[in-house]
Amino acid sequence: MKSLLVLGLVFSLPLLAFAEDKKPNPTLKSILLEQLRSTHNKAEWFVPANTAVEGLTAEQASWTDGKGNHSVGQLANHLIFWNTEELRKFKGEPEVKFSGDNNETFNSFDAKKWDATVKGLDQVLTEWEKAIEAADEAKLKDWYSNIAHIGAHNAYHIGQIVFVRKEQGSWNPEKGVK
């Protein structure tokens, strides 16, 4: 009898440990928030935006390789533009007038406003997270594909930012990409 009790205890301990480690069932909201946070300020599989732009001077943010590729500042400006536009749509706010020329979203970067650009990127990504947190399930079901694409778009351009910084020599590999 004692051995049965001990045997039962031995076999039940791993189950208890497994039950404690189990995460709650994910929801559409939790998945979208996790994705947006991983491109904003939570380092997981790749470098988030806040880390990617951290510590750059306006001069460094303006640097290009001379081969037609964008600067970090241009990439950040582009992210701000499209995240802001999509967030306005999500909130039901009027869109701003836009010619449709995507090059404008990169080329309107002003190095004199680099600090404001860094703050603006953090702000719009924070606003997205707050909007998702406040949204009901029906709205998220209507928007989940767009929001997922926004996260992928952000990750793509954040990767470009890190690449530009590596090319420039301003990237610290201790921040996540060797």
Side-chain angles (χ1 to χ4, degrees):
M1 181 71 166
K2 263 187 176 179
S3 60
L4 270 176
L5 184 58
V6 169
L7 192 58
L9 185 59
V10 167
F11 283 111
S12 65
L13 286 176
L15 293 174
L16 289 173
F18 175 75
E20 286 181 24
D21 286 344
K22 193 174 177 184
K23 292 181 178 180
N25 288 335
T27 63
L28 183 55
K29 184 179 287 193
S30 70
I31 292 167
L32 294 171
L33 282 169
E34 181 179 34
Q35 184 180 29
L36 289 176
R37 288 177 178 140
S38 73
T39 60
H40 176 203
N41 58 13
K42 187 174 181 189
E44 292 180 322
W45 286 43
F46 44 82
V47 173
N50 284 8
T51 303
V53 298
E54 181 180 70
L56 276 180
T57 65
E59 181 181 2
Q60 290 169 321
S62 300
W63 181 87
T64 64
D65 63 4
K67 299 176 186 174
N69 294 311
H70 296 108
S71 70
V72 169
Q74 289 173 314
L75 292 163
N77 203 62
H78 173 78
L79 286 173
I80 292 168
F81 179 86
W82 285 114
N83 275 276
T84 301
E85 285 308 296
E86 290 300 310
L87 184 59
R88 282 188 180 129
K89 290 178 194 174
F90 183 78
K91 291 179 172 182
E93 297 172 356
E95 296 177 42
V96 296
K97 286 187 179 186
F98 174 57
S99 71
D101 182 358
N102 195 42
N103 289 322
E104 290 176 17
T105 69
F106 293 99
N107 297 332
S108 59
F109 171 65
D110 181 352
K112 295 176 191 149
K113 297 179 182 175
W114 172 241
D115 289 339
T117 300
V118 171
K119 287 176 187 165
L121 182 58
D122 179 61
Q123 180 180 353
V124 71
L125 297 178
T126 298
E127 287 177 26
W128 255 119
E129 291 162 17
K130 288 178 181 176
I132 299 303
E133 287 171 346
D136 62 28
E137 193 71 16
K139 178 126 186 177
L140 294 178
K141 283 182 180 178
D142 288 343
W143 272 83
Y144 78 89
S145 181
N146 284 40
I147 297 165
H149 283 93
I150 289 164
H153 178 253
N154 291 348
Y156 171 76
H157 287 301
I158 292 163
Q160 288 182 306
I161 289 170
V162 172
F163 181 78
V164 170
R165 291 193 65 178
K166 287 175 83 173
E167 289 286 302
Q168 179 187 65
S170 66
W171 181 248
N172 177 354
E174 297 302 315
K175 291 186 176 188
V177 179
K178 306 271 183 222

